[in-house]
Amino acid sequence: MNSHAEKNEFTSDEMMTIAASRMLKSDDVCFVGIGAPSAACNVARLSHAPDITLIYESGTIGTAPDILPLSIGDGELCDTALTTVSVPEMFRYWLQGGRITIGFLGAAQIDKFGNINTTVIGDYHNPKTRMPGGGGAPEIASQAGQIYITMKQSLRSMVPKIDFFTSYGHGNGYDDRQKLGIKTTGPTVLITDLAIWKPHPETKEFIVTNLHAGVSKEDVQAHCGWEVTFSKQITTTPLPDATELNVLRELHKRTNAAHQRI
Amino acid sequence: MNSHAEKNEFTSDEMMTIAASRMLKSDDVCFVGIGAPSAACNVARLSHAPDITLIYESGTIGTAPDILPLSIGDGELCDTALTTVSVPEMFRYWLQGGRITIGFLGAAQIDKFGNINTTVIGDYHNPKTRMPGGGGAPEIASQAGQIYITMKQSLRSMVPKIDFFTSYGHGNGYDDRQKLGIKTTGPTVLITDLAIWKPHPETKEFIVTNLHAGVSKEDVQAHCGWEVTFSKQITTTPLPDATELNVLRELHKRTNAAHQRI
Amino acid sequence: MAQFVSLQDAVRDVMSDGLCVALEGFTHLIPHASAHEIIRQGFKNLTLVRMTPDIIYDQMIGMGCASKLIFSYAGNPGVGLLRRLRDAVENQWPVPLEIEEHSHAAMANAYEAGAAAMPCALFRGYLGAELKQVNPNIKMISCPFTGEALAAVPSIRPDVSFIHAQKADRKGNILIEGIIGIQKEAVLSAAKSVVTVEEIIDEFDTHPNAVILPHWTIDYIAEVPGAAHPSYAQGYYARDNSAYKEWDILSADRDLFLKWMAEHVMQQTPDVFAKRAQFTNPQSTGQGDSCDE
Amino acid sequence: MAQFVSLQDAVRDVMSDGLCVALEGFTHLIPHASAHEIIRQGFKNLTLVRMTPDIIYDQMIGMGCASKLIFSYAGNPGVGLLRRLRDAVENQWPVPLEIEEHSHAAMANAYEAGAAAMPCALFRGYLGAELKQVNPNIKMISCPFTGEALAAVPSIRPDVSFIHAQKADRKGNILIEGIIGIQKEAVLSAAKSVVTVEEIIDEFDTHPNAVILPHWTIDYIAEVPGAAHPSYAQGYYARDNSAYKEWDILSADRDLFLKWMAEHVMQQTPDVFAKRAQFTNPQSTGQGDSCDE
């Protein structure tokens, strides 16, 4: 499955980040989760979506960091932001206020309806593994216009039933979300290291619409804990082009240099 | 009754402002009403209480204007403030937050328990005179640590029964205020152009504790719509000293010059 | 996305009869030019929202633009009453005016809640205040943890908000400095927003925590120097306090008022504000002559 | 009124076992020196409040200071999990730790409500989120105007809040710039506050709307340069990202953790922070060596 990485000289991680970056447009106002989403958002900004507005929950609005922040509040984010507001204002006026078009999240555990668990493995009160918890995600998931999710596939991360509903996606599918009084669209795309998934218009189950180059349906199923549905018109994700790869690699190079101590 | 003005070379207005200014201390944090309260607060700051913190509802914290503002939001207030916050923050964090020691109010109509009307004369829905309304006062009255009131006496302004409870003082006296769930002390002093009044410790009725120089009990009663109670140990308000008069007059002189157009 | 247009075009595009409209600015940066443009274009039956109605709403009410007013302090600050507003409330002239009256704390909380897309605001207010007996939009609810009675008011969500600001940059971001009042909330709580600015500059060079409204929160930007006069714009011109005092006389009489409006509003354009404000720059306070040019 | 004291004296005066304590700073300006001083002075049974517990609470929990934690994101941002916190939650080591877990939106609203002296905060939150099934301090109430179900949480009112800021002036006013996070609310919601600052200067020369906490809202100010390290202070030194990555290893093992704490915290004083931070100034990012000096 990783053979395409050598063949085409890019890794599946790079493919994931670049495929995710392509989902974003210049007029998006994106609430950025740390890690994979942050890389995708900044690649978009540095390539095809130069005017995209990136917002981090630390309060930085319209930020344009030259390196990837390690946390959601590195100084780089403030230095390059249009303005920086308080955390209560960020959550009240900007997220709850409905000013965010895209919330871009990662996930430790996800189900086929885009519900996310980042809280516990096992029982909440007696956990096998205590994870960080929701942070901003529960309200990003219900208040941003749409949710994009990006994560690596594995049997541990893509499960039939998540242990805890940290952030609500499409519940058990269909109009579960509307029934709870949530007015936003919810997850509209999932970008993994193997494929691109979109919710079925009716059932809201994530189905594979694109396979990344060199990835088979069997690869996808082998790294997913539920029985995968594939679109009838499945296409191959366009390869990363030279610009995209260059932007991503230079970004990581600058980032690593800045985070290094001699 | 105005004879003392000529005799001692100050007006009853000046006496009122100076007597009011003396109530304030350097460690007070005072929410300043416009007009007479503003003059008193700034005379205090420019004389015996140089470190007093003056706050105007427009958002200016720790302001030290060189002239009296005409409105509660003149540029002078911001220019000389420690910092300027938004109006929602002012009312939530600073006033409701319990950070104000003194709320200094004026009044169009007041009763003997320090309840204030600045809303209507006559019926609310069919008013004889529509006045400006409460503005910040209803919550200043319930949320500032204590309330100081300053106003000129007249039969129209000091009435047995106010037409509308804009801002709550001591209700019908005794522990009416506590019964409503209000935790602050309420009005603790009333400074008029004729006298200084303080609430009776039990009944909470304003009683005259000081008469300004040259003012008789009959003068006070003649300019008050309810039957006035006088303290047994009534004293004469100390005369304005040269410094106080000078500070007040220079302040008014600078203010008039700044507000004048040629 | 912010469009740079003339104030005339912005008002024409965004306004229609019967809308709920807020023109905000707390003493500072009051959008006088926008109020005058709305009056000139003749919009009617508006619900006007503003903490301190001030001269601009006295003018709009006196010219018959409004059928309802939501407010918390209807005075000419430091001067006295608003005479056109009184005439409408007391004598239904020129048209009846319904009022919904709050305290400042309630309005500030209601704008804050509007900016946060909340249906209502919760605060510790109106204790002992009679307004809650006459305004059905003030309710008391219990804290679910302590049982304390707290005041609730509906959030403010205007159809259109108008503010004035010091600067826009070329991308359409807006910078407000000094007494910032309720302007950020007025814009963020509204479905549409129109901002007049003193000037348009290439790029802001300001503090990281300065009050900036991003271009994607603004619909229309019009460059109208002096647009706040006789209010003021910190860093540009001072408050024309004499004009506020003169308004007390000009507005006392219906005919005098109408004559003044005809001459100083109806026969003018937004361009006139630059001239009005130039006599009150902060370095030469005391030189303005707005009301009698 | 703000008193200028040593951090040791501030912590001694203000702290006692069993208090509810918040140390805030959202990635930026995290008060590491204060956390270390509390650990050194050996306070126990604390209820710790913090949106992002981060390294400082991992250290305080690992050293047995806390019996309860109120939080919304318990991770080492961008690195991984907090291993001492996990050990306390999963294995009760060194002492059992009760947790009260919220979302960021809830905590931010709860601090805001605390600063406003409200008993609770109201927001549109927790829709579909399972936390409201496991946390009894999340309740749903109805908007009295629209009937919409809204989330309510108790406000946060700590006994003591600790923050770090860039500057104090000689009167004891505090200036915070850059990512301001929740620090203003942390101070205003608390009964007492302790602020460490990078430096004390004569007078601020900053923007009219900069975030300043007046001296009468602060109880103790201690000048501790570098006190945020390995977090950062905008304008002084950069975030020591390597230290965050190294913490993941140092904290993985109980003995390694205790040895590191003995050497780098228990045997030190607040003075050590100046040296730790000097290698990470913004002009020379990449030179810090905090964890192995």
Side-chain angles (χ1 to χ4, degrees):
Chain A
M1 159 211 140
N2 270 329
S3 60
H4 67 273
E6 288 101 57
K7 193 168 58 193
N8 300 303
E9 292 178 39
F10 57 86
T11 67
S12 59
D13 259 18
E14 288 175 332
M15 182 71 249
M16 175 172 79
T17 303
I18 287 167
S21 79
R22 291 171 181 159
M23 303 294 157
L24 297 163
K25 306 178 302 296
S26 254
D27 61 353
D28 277 328
V29 177
C30 184
F31 207 98
V32 185
I34 212 63
S38 179
C41 292
N42 281 291
V43 169
R45 181 179 58 79
L46 292 164
S47 54
H48 65 278
D51 292 330
I52 191 170
T53 300
L54 301 184
I55 294 186
Y56 288 71
E57 66 191 13
S58 55
T60 54
I61 295 177
T63 185
D66 192 48
I67 59 169
L68 289 176
L70 181 66
S71 78
I72 38 65
D74 285 22
E76 181 81 4
L77 294 173
C78 178
D79 285 340
T80 62
L82 174 64
T83 190
T84 298
V85 302
S86 76
V87 166
E89 179 178 327
M90 177 52 66
F91 282 96
R92 282 184 72 79
Y93 290 3
W94 300 93
L95 181 59
Q96 183 177 276
R99 300 273 165 194
I100 310 295
T101 64
I102 310 291
F104 215 137
L105 297 176
Q109 227 185 28
I110 195 171
D111 67 18
K112 66 180 176 181
F113 294 114
N115 303 298
I116 292 175
N117 173 22
T118 56
T119 303
V120 284
I121 306 295
D123 176 61
Y124 180 82
H125 295 289
N126 191 15
K128 209 180 306 171
T129 306
R130 174 66 229 194
M131 297 189 289
E139 279 75 25
I140 296 173
S142 65
Q143 296 172 350
Q146 302 178 55
I147 301 300
Y148 294 176
I149 305 168
T150 183
M151 62 187 297
K152 285 197 201 192
Q153 286 195 214
S154 78
L155 292 174
R156 283 176 54 177
S157 65
M158 300 181 80
V159 298
K161 192 173 163 7
I162 56 176
D163 289 19
F164 193 87
F165 269 59
T166 307
S167 307
Y168 198 82
H170 293 290
N172 286 310
Y174 297 93
D175 59 351
D176 267 15
R177 200 174 157 88
Q178 285 67 42
K179 279 192 205 144
L180 281 182
I182 306 176
K183 282 156 192 159
T184 53
T185 310
T188 52
V189 68
L190 165 65
I191 306 102
T192 70
D193 50 340
L194 305 181
I196 299 175
W197 311 57
K198 292 190 178 167
H200 183 278
E202 197 182 348
T203 67
K204 302 289 161 60
E205 178 186 335
F206 268 131
I207 59 177
V208 174
T209 58
N210 296 64
L211 291 170
H212 298 335
V215 176
S216 69
K217 288 184 180 179
E218 290 69 28
D219 290 335
V220 172
Q221 183 64 73
H223 294 81
C224 179
W226 67 79
E227 197 182 325
V228 180
T229 307
F230 295 89
S231 167
K232 281 166 197 158
Q233 288 115 30
I234 209 157
T235 56
T236 303
T237 313
L239 296 177
D241 67 27
T243 309
E244 289 171 327
L245 272 178
N246 187 50
V247 162
L248 174 59
R249 287 171 184 175
E250 288 296 317
L251 182 61
H252 278 308
K253 198 190 286 179
R254 288 196 301 276
T255 302
N256 289 334
H259 289 182
Q260 213 83 56
R261 288 189 309 208
I262 315 299
Chain B
M1 159 211 139
N2 270 327
S3 60
H4 66 273
E6 290 100 57
K7 192 167 61 196
N8 299 304
E9 292 177 41
F10 57 86
T11 68
S12 58
D13 259 17
E14 288 175 331
M15 182 71 251
M16 176 172 77
T17 304
I18 288 167
S21 79
R22 291 171 182 160
M23 302 294 157
L24 297 164
K25 306 179 302 297
S26 255
D27 61 354
D28 276 328
V29 177
C30 184
F31 207 99
V32 185
I34 211 63
S38 179
C41 291
N42 281 291
V43 168
R45 181 179 59 78
L46 292 165
S47 54
H48 64 278
D51 292 330
I52 191 170
T53 299
L54 301 184
I55 294 185
Y56 288 71
E57 66 191 12
S58 55
T60 54
I61 296 178
T63 186
D66 192 48
I67 60 169
L68 289 176
L70 181 66
S71 78
I72 38 64
D74 285 21
E76 180 81 5
L77 294 173
C78 178
D79 286 340
T80 62
L82 174 64
T83 191
T84 298
V85 301
S86 77
V87 166
E89 178 177 326
M90 177 51 66
F91 281 97
R92 281 184 72 80
Y93 291 2
W94 300 94
L95 181 59
Q96 184 178 275
R99 301 271 164 194
I100 309 295
T101 64
I102 310 291
F104 215 137
L105 298 175
Q109 226 185 29
I110 194 171
D111 68 17
K112 67 179 176 181
F113 295 114
N115 304 299
I116 292 173
N117 173 22
T118 56
T119 304
V120 284
I121 305 295
D123 176 60
Y124 181 81
H125 296 287
N126 191 15
K128 209 180 307 175
T129 306
R130 174 67 229 195
M131 297 190 289
E139 279 74 26
I140 296 173
S142 65
Q143 296 172 348
Q146 302 177 55
I147 301 301
Y148 293 176
I149 304 166
T150 182
M151 62 188 296
K152 285 197 199 190
Q153 287 196 212
S154 78
L155 292 174
R156 281 175 55 175
S157 65
M158 300 180 81
V159 297
K161 191 169 163 12
I162 57 176
D163 289 18
F164 193 86
F165 269 60
T166 307
S167 308
Y168 199 81
H170 293 288
N172 286 310
Y174 299 93
D175 59 352
D176 266 16
R177 202 173 156 87
Q178 284 67 41
K179 278 192 206 144
L180 281 183
I182 306 175
K183 283 158 191 156
T184 52
T185 310
T188 51
V189 67
L190 165 65
I191 306 102
T192 69
D193 51 340
L194 304 181
I196 299 174
W197 311 57
K198 294 191 175 165
H200 183 277
E202 197 182 349
T203 67
K204 302 290 162 59
E205 178 186 336
F206 269 130
I207 60 178
V208 173
T209 59
N210 297 64
L211 291 169
H212 299 335
V215 176
S216 68
K217 289 183 180 181
E218 290 69 27
D219 290 334
V220 172
Q221 184 63 73
H223 294 81
C224 179
W226 67 78
E227 197 181 324
V228 180
T229 307
F230 293 89
S231 167
K232 280 165 196 156
Q233 285 113 33
I234 210 158
T235 56
T236 302
T237 313
L239 295 179
D241 67 26
T243 309
E244 290 170 326
L245 272 178
N246 188 50
V247 161
L248 174 60
R249 288 171 183 175
E250 288 297 317
L251 181 60
H252 277 309
K253 198 189 287 179
R254 288 195 302 275
T255 302
N256 288 336
H259 290 182
Q260 214 81 59
R261 289 188 308 207
I262 314 301
Chain C
M1 290 295 158
Q3 292 181 50
F4 292 94
V5 295
S6 72
L7 181 56
Q8 292 94 322
D9 286 350
V11 168
R12 192 170 297 117
D13 281 6
V14 85
M15 287 293 295
S16 56
D17 288 351
L19 291 186
C20 176
V21 182
L23 290 86
E24 280 293 353
F26 202 88
T27 313
H28 184 210
L29 295 171
I30 297 175
H32 274 261
S34 296
H36 287 188
E37 190 56 36
I38 294 168
I39 293 169
R40 271 193 296 272
Q41 294 194 19
F43 293 102
K44 303 287 175 197
N45 289 315
L46 304 176
T47 292
L48 294 178
V49 187
R50 195 173 144 76
M51 292 184 67
T52 55
D54 216 306
I55 294 182
I56 52 170
Y57 279 16
D58 213 32
Q59 295 174 342
M60 293 176 81
I61 290 165
M63 294 300 280
C65 299
S67 57
K68 183 175 177 183
L69 174 69
I70 301 175
F71 74 103
S72 45
Y73 181 87
N76 181 343
V79 178
L81 307 175
L82 291 174
R83 297 177 184 280
R84 294 297 96 225
L85 187 150
R86 280 189 61 184
D87 207 4
V89 172
E90 296 171 13
N91 309 308
Q92 295 76 52
W93 191 92
V95 291
L97 182 71
E98 182 189 349
I99 62 168
E100 176 179 334
E101 184 171 4
H102 288 281
S103 65
H104 275 353
M107 292 281 285
N109 274 284
Y111 269 119
E112 197 279 343
M118 289 288 284
C120 65
L122 199 63
F123 65 111
R124 181 182 289 116
Y126 286 128
L127 293 173
E130 198 170 342
L131 268 184
K132 68 175 182 292
Q133 266 93 61
V134 297
N135 180 347
N137 266 342
I138 302 169
K139 300 199 176 181
M140 302 302 284
I141 68 173
S142 291
C143 170
F145 301 100
T146 65
E148 182 181 349
L150 299 165
V153 292
S155 63
I156 296 173
R157 311 291 306 265
D159 295 311
V160 191
S161 282
F162 291 82
I163 67 164
H164 184 64
Q166 279 106 335
K167 292 179 176 71
D169 69 14
R170 304 248 171 244
K171 289 185 177 164
N173 302 302
I174 298 295
L175 174 66
I176 308 171
E177 299 180 303
I179 292 179
I180 51 182
I182 195 84
Q183 280 98 311
K184 186 180 212 168
E185 290 75 16
V187 166
L188 295 181
S189 65
K192 298 261 182 187
S193 61
V194 178
V195 184
T196 51
V197 295
E198 289 298 323
E199 60 176 332
I200 297 166
I201 62 170
D202 288 334
E203 218 174 331
F204 299 146
D205 174 25
T206 186
H207 189 273
N209 307 120
V211 176
I212 292 176
L213 284 160
H215 59 91
W216 39 275
T217 66
I218 308 292
D219 293 282
Y220 300 94
I221 299 173
E223 187 176 28
V224 184
H229 180 272
S231 169
Y232 69 106
Q234 195 98 4
Y236 291 85
Y237 47 94
R239 192 170 192 265
D240 186 355
N241 281 323
S242 297
Y244 279 86
K245 292 177 184 168
E246 286 160 9
W247 183 252
D248 200 44
I249 298 155
L250 295 168
S251 62
D253 176 88
R254 291 176 188 174
D255 291 335
L256 194 57
F257 162 75
L258 290 173
K259 184 165 166 290
W260 191 91
M261 291 300 290
E263 189 178 338
H264 295 86
V265 177
M266 301 311 284
Q267 295 161 22
Q268 304 293 342
T269 69
D271 296 341
V272 76
F273 280 90
K275 183 171 143 242
R276 289 178 183 169
Q278 69 184 334
F279 300 105
T280 62
N281 80 63
Q283 272 65 53
S284 66
T285 310
Q287 301 299 311
D289 73 341
S290 65
C291 289
D292 41 30
E293 76 270 14
Chain D
M1 289 296 157
Q3 294 181 48
F4 291 95
V5 294
S6 71
L7 182 55
Q8 292 94 322
D9 285 350
V11 169
R12 194 171 295 117
D13 282 5
V14 85
M15 286 294 294
S16 55
D17 289 350
L19 291 186
C20 176
V21 181
L23 290 86
E24 279 294 354
F26 202 86
T27 314
H28 185 210
L29 295 171
I30 298 176
H32 275 260
S34 296
H36 288 187
E37 190 57 36
I38 294 169
I39 292 171
R40 272 193 296 272
Q41 293 194 21
F43 293 102
K44 304 287 176 200
N45 290 316
L46 303 176
T47 292
L48 294 179
V49 187
R50 194 173 145 74
M51 293 183 68
T52 56
D54 216 303
I55 294 183
I56 53 170
Y57 279 16
D58 214 32
Q59 294 174 341
M60 293 176 80
I61 289 165
M63 295 299 281
C65 299
S67 56
K68 182 175 177 183
L69 174 69
I70 301 174
F71 74 104
S72 45
Y73 181 87
N76 180 343
V79 178
L81 307 174
L82 292 174
R83 298 175 183 283
R84 293 300 93 225
L85 187 151
R86 279 189 61 184
D87 207 5
V89 171
E90 296 171 14
N91 310 307
Q92 295 75 53
W93 190 92
V95 292
L97 182 71
E98 182 189 350
I99 62 169
E100 176 178 334
E101 184 171 3
H102 288 281
S103 67
H104 276 354
M107 291 280 286
N109 274 284
Y111 268 119
E112 197 278 345
M118 289 288 284
C120 65
L122 199 62
F123 65 112
R124 183 183 287 116
Y126 286 127
L127 293 174
E130 198 170 340
L131 269 184
K132 67 174 181 294
Q133 266 93 62
V134 296
N135 181 348
N137 266 342
I138 302 168
K139 301 199 175 182
M140 302 302 284
I141 67 172
S142 291
C143 169
F145 301 99
T146 66
E148 181 182 349
L150 299 166
V153 292
S155 63
I156 295 174
R157 312 291 307 263
D159 295 311
V160 191
S161 283
F162 291 82
I163 67 163
H164 184 63
Q166 278 105 336
K167 293 180 175 73
D169 69 15
R170 306 247 170 244
K171 287 184 178 166
N173 302 301
I174 298 295
L175 174 65
I176 308 172
E177 299 179 303
I179 291 179
I180 50 181
I182 196 82
Q183 280 98 310
K184 187 179 211 169
E185 289 76 15
V187 166
L188 296 181
S189 64
K192 299 260 181 190
S193 62
V194 179
V195 183
T196 51
V197 294
E198 288 299 322
E199 61 175 330
I200 297 166
I201 61 170
D202 287 334
E203 215 171 333
F204 299 144
D205 174 23
T206 186
H207 190 273
N209 307 120
V211 176
I212 292 176
L213 284 160
H215 60 90
W216 39 276
T217 65
I218 308 292
D219 294 283
Y220 300 94
I221 299 172
E223 187 177 26
V224 185
H229 181 272
S231 167
Y232 69 106
Q234 193 98 2
Y236 291 86
Y237 47 93
R239 194 171 191 263
D240 187 355
N241 281 321
S242 297
Y244 279 86
K245 292 175 182 170
E246 285 159 9
W247 183 252
D248 200 43
I249 299 157
L250 295 167
S251 62
D253 176 88
R254 290 177 187 173
D255 291 336
L256 192 59
F257 163 73
L258 289 173
K259 184 166 166 291
W260 190 91
M261 290 299 291
E263 190 179 336
H264 296 85
V265 177
M266 301 312 284
Q267 294 159 23
Q268 304 293 342
T269 68
D271 295 341
V272 76
F273 280 90
K275 185 169 141 247
R276 289 177 183 170
Q278 70 184 334
F279 300 104
T280 62
N281 80 63
Q283 272 66 52
S284 65
T285 309
Q287 302 298 315
D289 75 341
S290 66
C291 288
D292 41 28
E293 76 271 13

